[in-house]
């Protein structure tokens, strides 16, 4: 081990920062958080440091560095642009047994400032021993994304009840299980849901109750987005990391499932192509069974759980059975497909609203309000529509939507095999059949769809002879 890790209590201890630029300001900002008594010495100060001096938060020694600045300080940070000056500060500081950090110069430093993840009072510090600070920073980002933002509040709560917890759970093994429960169960979930009072009540109840708190199962409905793992939210990633059981739609990719905890049980539900289909009541039964057994269940769905995902029914079921739940939104297919083809769903001139429509079977297509859907100046995003293109087209045109209205049909949106077909409503069924577009595909219809012609940037754009005939939106044409 090259370096000895330590966390220093700097509150009200004098610290010297030499340098007045941005780097000095950055270092000062962290020292301020730690409550140090900071003096900054430099001929001139940048705006941020100047502001802190004016606010009385730091002291200022104007002018060139002097050895006397080192008197009485515990730590020194040398952040000047001159290496010889930094070296002199380090040498003089070390002669007086001060701890000195020269920014980005491990050879001159006697201590280094780690990359930090701050969930105060929890701190995670990472050091590469000066070998590769960039890599340490990358690692920091990874860990940052895995640690729940609510951890800080949990630790503060635990800190306040520490002696009561210790008294109540005197046995070390039992106490450890209590802390596991605190971290893994309803208390952290309440903090995450921004309900600190409820979290505290739950903790107090667990202290009053004379049994060891039992792990209570829970279900998180998680939207996995349209397929590209990069479109998962950090919250979704954390839920996947904590899950004991994952009930996922068949369409969820291996790449996304691989982000889950290694030892989590994965159960595929829902249908893929013509394969088997788990009926909704069986999914409900599975959710209940695993949650009742005290497990943390993730119900992972494509896109967003509340957009044509039956998430509402699952939530209702969980609620009536008293199972704790959370919902993590996902990027829904319409939003993703629009982004991945360069199509803005709304537009000041061409589209004042967006409608998310499902057309999954003959029956649902017959039930749609065609007069409403055929209106101008709106964008339609049609889910599950590839089997019904003929009917959709007929109805829209019959109800007054122009045959020249542009569309974009996106197959496997956001996935490496994405294909994008563009054209006009009148030719939609023919073009889709010619290119054998299959599910999953998203149909976006409306003036905005013409943007795909020029703004498309991901995957394959299926060209067809009539492309040239499609007018680009006016402002784009003007720009060209
Ligand atoms: N809850 C999901 C929708 C489920 S319905 C969401 O919010 O996105 C399934 C339909 O979504 C598919 O038939 C298709 O129309 C659309 N869809 C889902 N993933 C898609 C993708 N990667 N590309 C294009 N369409 C997609």
């Amino acid at each position: 081990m090259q370096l000895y890790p330590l966390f220093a209590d700097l509150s009200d201890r004098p610290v010297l920062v030499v340098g007045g630029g941005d780097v000095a300001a950055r270092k000062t900002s962290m020292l301020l958080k730690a409550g140090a008594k900071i003096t900054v010495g430099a001929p001139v100060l940048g705006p941020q440091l100047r502001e802190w001096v004016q606010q009385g938060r730091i002291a200022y020694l104007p002018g060139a560095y002097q050895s006397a600045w080192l008197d009485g300080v515990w730590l020194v940070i040398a952040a000047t642009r001159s290496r010889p000056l930094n070296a002199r500060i380090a040498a003089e500081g070390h002669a007086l047994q001060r701890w000195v950090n020269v920014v980005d110069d491990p050879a001159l430093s006697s201590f280094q400032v780690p990359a930090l993840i701050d969930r105060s009072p929890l701190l995670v510090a990472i050091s590469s021993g000066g070998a590769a600070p960039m890599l340490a920073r990358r690692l920091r980002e990874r860990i940052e994304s895995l640690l729940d933002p609510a951890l800080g509040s949990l630790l503060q709560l635990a800190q306040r009840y520490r002696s009561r917890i210790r008294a109540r759970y005197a046995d070390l093994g039992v106490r450890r299980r209590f802390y596991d429960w605190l971290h893994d169960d309803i208390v952290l979930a309440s903090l995450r849901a921004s309900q600190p009072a409820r979290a505290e009540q739950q903790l107090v109840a667990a202290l009053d109750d004379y049994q060891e708190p039992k792990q209570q199962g829970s279900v998180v409905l998680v939207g996995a987005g349209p397929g590209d793992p990069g479109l998962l939210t950090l919250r979704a990633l954390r839920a996947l990391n904590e899950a004991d059981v994952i009930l996922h739609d068949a369409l969820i990719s291996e790449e996304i499932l691989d982000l889950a905890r290694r030892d989590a049980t994965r159960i595929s539900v829902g249908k893929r192509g013509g394969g088997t289909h788990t009926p909704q009541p069986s999914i409900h039964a599975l959710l209940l069974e695993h949650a009742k057994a005290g497990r943390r269940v993730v119900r992972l769905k494509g896109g967003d759980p509340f957009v044509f995902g039956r998430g509402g029914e699952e939530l209702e079921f969980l609620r009536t059975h008293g199972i704790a739940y959370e919902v993590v939104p996902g990027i829904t297919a319409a939003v993703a497909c629009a982004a991945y083809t360069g199509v803005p769903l709304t537009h000041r001139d061409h589209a004042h609203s967006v409608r998310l429509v499902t057309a999954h079977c003959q029956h649902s297509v017959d039930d749609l309000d065609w007069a409403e859907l055929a209106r101008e100046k709106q964008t339609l995003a049609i889910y599950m529509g590839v089997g019904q293109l003929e009917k959709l087209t007929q109805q829209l045109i019959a109800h007054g939507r122009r045959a020249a209205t542009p569309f974009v049909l996106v197959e496997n949106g956001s996935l490496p095999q994405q294909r994008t077909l563009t054209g006009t409503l009148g030719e939609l069924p023919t073009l889709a059949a010619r290119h054998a577009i299959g599910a999953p595909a998203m149909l976006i219809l409306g003036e905005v769809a013409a943007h795909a012609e020029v703004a498309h940037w991901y995957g394959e754009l299926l060209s067809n002879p009539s492309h040239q005939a499609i007018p680009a939106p006016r402002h784009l044409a003007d720009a060209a």
Side-chain angles (χ1 to χ4, degrees):
M1 188 159 69
Q2 232 178 334
L3 297 171
Y4 183 76
L6 56 87
F7 289 91
D9 179 0
L10 288 182
S11 47
D12 285 328
R13 297 211 157 94
V15 169
L16 173 69
V17 177
V18 188
D22 291 344
V23 180
R26 231 172 20 244
K27 300 291 164 187
T28 303
S29 133
M30 187 135 143
L31 289 165
L32 274 172
K33 280 193 204 152
K37 219 166 121 187
I38 306 158
T39 302
V40 175
V44 279
L45 295 184
Q48 177 64 76
L49 287 169
R50 233 173 14 240
E51 191 182 323
W52 286 331
V53 172
Q54 276 154 14
Q55 293 167 346
R57 299 179 68 191
I58 61 175
Y60 177 38
L61 291 167
Y65 165 77
Q66 295 167 32
S67 312
W69 288 3
L70 296 169
D71 291 347
V73 302
W74 291 66
L75 281 187
V76 181
I77 297 205
T80 80
R81 266 186 272 278
S82 153
R83 190 163 199 265
L85 177 56
N86 285 342
R88 182 182 148 208
I89 298 165
E92 292 184 2
H94 288 147
L96 293 168
Q97 281 146 12
R98 306 287 183 258
W99 290 103
V100 182
N101 173 262
V102 177
V103 176
D104 284 337
D105 201 333
L108 289 179
S109 303
S110 48
F111 79 93
Q112 281 156 32
V113 183
L116 191 69
I117 296 148
D118 186 358
R119 300 282 190 278
S120 283
L122 175 77
L123 294 176
V124 181
I126 303 166
S127 163
S128 68
M134 291 293 185
L135 276 183
R137 239 163 274 159
R138 277 295 289 275
L139 211 59
R140 188 196 73 82
E141 284 161 23
R142 294 280 296 273
I143 299 174
E144 178 82 64
S145 68
L146 293 177
L147 291 185
D148 200 305
L151 266 183
S153 318
L154 183 76
L155 264 81
Q156 281 166 26
L157 188 64
Q159 203 166 32
R160 275 198 283 129
Y161 282 87
R162 189 166 165 206
S163 49
R164 274 186 68 184
I165 295 171
R166 181 185 278 268
R168 175 66 190 76
Y169 294 106
D171 178 84
L172 189 66
V174 179
R175 192 155 72 237
R176 190 169 296 143
R177 285 198 293 282
F178 178 80
Y179 277 107
D180 283 348
W181 171 82
L182 204 59
H183 179 272
D184 293 345
D185 211 287
I186 47 178
V187 176
L188 184 62
S190 295
L191 291 170
R192 207 184 289 139
S194 216
Q195 311 224 347
R198 193 174 72 186
E200 187 158 356
Q201 277 162 19
Q202 287 161 337
L203 187 147
V204 170
L207 287 176
D208 290 344
D209 185 358
Y210 276 82
Q211 327 214 332
E212 256 190 70
K214 262 208 321 280
Q215 175 108 348
Q216 289 173 32
S218 60
V219 176
V220 192
L221 292 190
V222 177
D228 177 351
L231 296 180
L232 275 177
T233 62
L234 291 179
R235 195 113 171 197
L237 196 62
R238 275 195 294 273
L240 284 172
N241 260 287
E242 287 169 4
D244 299 311
V245 179
I246 299 169
L247 292 186
H248 63 89
D249 287 353
L251 269 177
I252 305 286
S253 71
E254 278 300 311
E255 245 179 313
I256 287 178
L257 291 171
D258 281 347
L259 296 170
R261 223 178 78 195
R262 292 282 154 208
D263 54 346
T265 309
R266 297 179 188 180
I267 305 170
S268 172
V269 295
K271 64 178 168 222
R272 160 171 247 157
T276 50
H277 171 64
T278 313
Q280 197 63 33
S282 313
I283 297 178
H284 289 176
L286 279 168
L287 289 172
L288 192 62
E289 175 197 330
H290 289 289
K292 278 250 162 93
R295 302 188 186 108
R296 283 165 301 180
V297 183
V298 160
R299 171 75 178 103
L300 191 63
K301 291 163 167 292
D304 180 88
F306 282 177
V307 177
F308 306 129
R310 306 190 72 167
E313 290 163 54
E314 289 174 14
L315 210 68
E316 173 73 17
F317 175 83
L318 294 169
R319 207 174 49 74
T320 52
H321 286 81
I323 304 288
Y325 58 77
E326 287 173 45
V327 185
V328 179
I331 295 186
T332 189
V335 169
C337 290
Y340 276 56
T341 52
V343 170
L345 287 173
T346 64
H347 189 284
R348 254 185 320 156
D349 302 327
H350 311 300
H352 299 157
S353 65
V354 190
R355 280 173 184 257
L356 307 186
V357 182
T358 173
H360 81 279
C361 62
Q362 181 78 38
H363 173 67
S364 67
V365 169
D366 289 339
D367 281 352
L368 291 171
D369 183 346
W370 290 105
E372 276 294 319
L373 295 180
R375 287 222 181 127
E376 302 288 311
K377 297 221 170 196
Q378 65 174 335
T379 306
L380 301 184
I382 303 182
Y383 290 69
M384 295 180 271
V386 265
Q388 308 290 330
L389 292 177
E390 193 92 43
K391 184 107 187 188
L392 282 169
T393 303
Q394 268 172 20
Q395 290 284 12
L396 284 168
I397 293 178
H399 287 83
R401 193 91 202 212
R402 287 178 311 119
T405 310
F407 76 80
V408 54
L409 184 58
V410 191
E411 179 192 69
N412 286 313
S414 87
L415 292 162
Q417 66 271 30
Q418 173 177 320
R419 294 197 301 159
T420 303
L421 177 68
T422 57
T424 57
L425 181 58
E427 56 189 0
L428 168 59
T430 321
L431 286 179
R434 183 184 306 157
H435 293 281
I437 302 289
M442 166 62 49
L443 174 65
I444 300 176
L445 182 81
E447 282 63 30
V448 291
H451 285 256
E453 293 290 333
V454 283
H456 170 274
W457 60 275
Y458 187 87
E460 188 185 357
L461 182 64
L462 299 172
S463 57
N464 62 76
S466 60
H467 264 186
Q468 272 57 38
I470 302 161
R474 196 166 0 105
H475 75 281
L476 287 175
D478 288 347

